[in-house]
Amino acid sequence: MKKEEGSMQIPNLVVGAGITGATIARRIAEDFGQPVTVIDVREHIGGNCHSEFDSQTGIEYHCYGTHIFHTTSGRVWDFIRRFSEFNSYRHKVLTTYNGRAYHMPVNLQTINLFFGLQLRPYEVADFIRRKSAEENITEPRNLEEKAISLIGRELYEAFVKGYTLKQWETDPKNLSADIISRLPFRHTHECDYFTCPYQGLPLEGYDRLFENMLDHELITVKLGQDYFSLRDTLPADCRVFYTGPIDRFFDYRHGELSWRSLRFDYETLDVPDYQGTSVMNYADVEVPYTRIHEYRHLHPERDNMSGRTLICREYSRKWKQGDEPYYPVNTDADREKLALYEKEAEAVSNVYFAGRLGQYRYYDMDKAVLAALELCDGL
Ligand code: UDP
């Protein structure tokens, strides 16, 4: 990867050095044999996957929240593993409700512990059916109805309602059912968060993965470079792959799309292991943070020589201009605005909109890679 000041007389410009931008840049350089410049307004590559190594403990921490690479796509897995080996970590999440830790997603342990029962796997479906039948929901129209139809009202109120209110600051009745469809519901003691066959963390850290993706003689990377301060200087035939926020591209002329932003509060503790798992969710609405990350657990293959641990409390908040956007809220009003921006985007020649911000989609990393690979298939 070349890092240099160069002229903007380039055939391809990728705006954003995150997972979408890095995938597109690699394919343009490698498969199309064309020079490509990648710019990012931040001073690091990797977008929100960026990580650093803590100077006190030596623990790698994900600067924008825990990122677990997981996919069911052989194509994505084959592509990404060309740039890094992955460890064998399989993600597990617990959730604390009313002072007690339960498995998340809701599984047999969660149900039995919560209701004080000893149900067997073959009894769960009936049990839950009876619970959700009390509500008479035929066609779930929103997150609340979807969750109740899946797990019944009591489990919904304990494990979903408070967490969702903190995460989205929106009544779950006004949120899309799709959000909760991300969470599986299990009739067994299976407690892996993802059932994907392929998952793990880059052995040498996320930034090494991105360095390797961008390490190609035809790729030039320029950090701390704002697209909007140079767009008027670009030649008309430059192809732009824009992975920033779509509404920002059009100067918010149809209004802002709504996002959730996050705040991370780090603490180093003089114990080797604080919570025994990498992510502990907090379901009670009274606890102000949504979860605590403990990064050392993501790399069980690494020694924790310091005997200390690094934790991070995650707080969700409403996005305003200047904050990092993380989660698209995707209300009805957002979808209307998005349709207007998409129409405008179609009319702009030579600009491709991609990624979570560019398409206003709640993409996981693997979905972002797949969409970027497919975008390049169509070039
Ligand atoms: N969710 C919840 N309780 C939990 C975890 C998740 O109610 O303990 C809901 C919440 O609405 C959240 C959604 O499920 O926004 C998706 O959660 P996921 O863990 O997929 O979110 P991410 O890891 O992307 O932050």
Side-chain angles (χ1 to χ4, degrees):
M1 148 175 87
K2 287 186 276 175
K3 271 192 199 172
E4 56 188 51
E5 292 299 317
S7 98
M8 276 294 140
Q9 302 306 312
I10 42 157
N12 298 289
L13 178 72
V14 172
V15 181
I19 200 146
T20 298
T23 302
I24 293 171
R26 184 77 196 190
R27 284 215 61 197
I28 291 176
E30 197 164 66
D31 299 341
F32 300 98
Q34 292 178 17
V36 48
T37 296
V38 181
I39 60 169
D40 202 298
V41 70
R42 291 169 171 170
E43 292 291 346
H44 62 74
I45 56 173
N48 280 9
C49 305
H50 168 64
S51 68
E52 291 178 10
F53 287 83
D54 175 46
S55 58
Q56 289 183 57
T57 60
I59 294 169
E60 179 186 357
Y61 63 99
H62 300 180
C63 304
Y64 303 94
T66 299
H67 281 70
I68 318 289
F69 200 92
H70 60 99
T71 188
T72 53
S73 161
R75 182 181 188 196
V76 168
W77 189 234
D78 289 345
F79 176 78
I80 208 78
R81 274 187 318 152
R82 290 179 44 216
F83 309 107
S84 174
E85 279 186 64
F86 282 73
N87 71 5
S88 55
Y89 175 81
R90 289 190 72 86
H91 195 37
K92 292 183 178 25
V93 175
L94 297 175
T95 185
T96 297
Y97 168 69
N98 207 8
R100 181 173 267 197
Y102 298 82
H103 286 168
M104 173 57 65
V106 170
N107 71 3
L108 193 51
Q109 183 261 19
T110 320
I111 296 168
N112 281 337
L113 198 56
F114 183 78
F115 289 107
L117 297 170
Q118 273 308 324
L119 294 177
R120 297 200 168 272
Y122 59 84
E123 296 169 318
V124 176
D126 260 1
F127 178 78
I128 294 295
R129 204 173 298 123
R130 283 199 303 277
K131 294 261 168 221
S132 43
E134 292 162 14
E135 304 283 333
N136 213 4
I137 298 167
T138 43
E139 290 263 318
R141 289 163 303 174
N142 53 53
L143 191 155
E144 176 168 299
E145 290 185 3
K146 179 79 183 178
I148 292 174
S149 69
L150 286 172
I151 57 178
R153 180 167 289 279
E154 290 129 304
L155 290 166
Y156 160 73
E157 291 197 342
F159 298 109
V160 175
K161 192 175 180 183
Y163 187 97
T164 299
L165 272 169
K166 289 191 289 184
Q167 168 77 353
W168 299 95
E169 228 182 305
T170 303
D171 188 324
K173 289 193 194 75
N174 296 327
L175 288 168
S176 157
D178 293 352
I179 294 176
I180 203 71
S181 306
R182 294 169 57 86
L183 280 186
F185 165 53
R186 311 251 169 76
H187 293 190
T188 66
H189 287 291
E190 170 64 56
C191 56
D192 277 6
Y193 202 68
F194 308 117
T195 50
C196 304
Y198 314 117
Q199 58 178 291
L201 279 296
L203 268 187
E204 293 180 65
Y206 271 104
D207 277 25
R208 181 56 57 80
L209 166 78
F210 281 89
E211 279 161 24
N212 291 340
M213 287 176 88
L214 295 167
D215 184 14
H216 190 285
E217 58 189 5
L218 291 173
I219 300 178
T220 302
V221 176
K222 296 176 79 172
L223 298 177
Q225 175 74 68
D226 180 16
Y227 168 70
F228 296 100
S229 59
L230 64 80
R231 75 166 153 185
D232 294 340
T233 67
L234 291 172
D237 60 351
C238 173
R239 271 196 309 193
V240 176
F241 298 87
Y242 175 83
T243 72
I246 188 168
D247 51 356
R248 167 75 182 93
F249 187 93
F250 295 105
D251 299 320
Y252 304 108
R253 69 177 69 137
H254 301 296
E256 289 172 356
L257 294 166
S258 50
W259 291 90
R260 298 299 294 170
S261 192
L262 300 175
R263 179 168 71 79
F264 298 105
D265 206 354
Y266 293 90
E267 193 178 355
T268 307
L269 300 170
D270 285 326
V271 293
D273 187 351
Y274 172 69
Q275 61 183 17
T277 194
S278 55
V279 179
M280 175 70 79
N281 290 353
Y282 283 83
D284 301 274
V285 80
E286 297 77 22
V287 177
Y289 40 87
T290 49
R291 48 191 171 186
I292 298 183
H293 307 262
E294 186 172 17
Y295 290 105
R296 53 155 302 185
H297 294 291
L298 298 173
H299 286 277
E301 78 284 3
R302 292 180 185 164
D303 287 331
N304 179 21
M305 303 295 277
S306 74
R308 306 172 81 194
T309 194
L310 177 69
I311 63 165
C312 168
R313 292 181 180 83
E314 177 178 320
Y315 298 82
S316 175
R317 62 180 184 201
K318 190 173 165 28
W319 173 88
K320 58 181 180 351
Q321 281 184 37
D323 294 340
E324 294 295 348
Y326 285 84
Y327 296 99
V329 183
N330 204 14
T331 59
D332 290 345
D334 289 322
R335 281 190 287 275
E336 279 169 31
K337 284 181 213 164
L338 180 63
L340 296 174
Y341 285 122
E342 284 175 339
K343 205 154 176 249
E344 300 245 11
E346 277 170 30
V348 184
S349 59
N350 261 354
V351 180
Y352 297 83
F353 293 80
R356 198 183 262 219
L357 305 179
Q359 293 180 282
Y360 195 65
R361 292 224 182 120
Y362 192 173
Y363 276 137
D364 285 334
M365 282 184 282
D366 65 320
K367 298 289 184 323
V369 170
L370 188 62
L373 292 174
E374 288 175 351
L375 188 160
C376 294
D377 290 343
L379 291 177

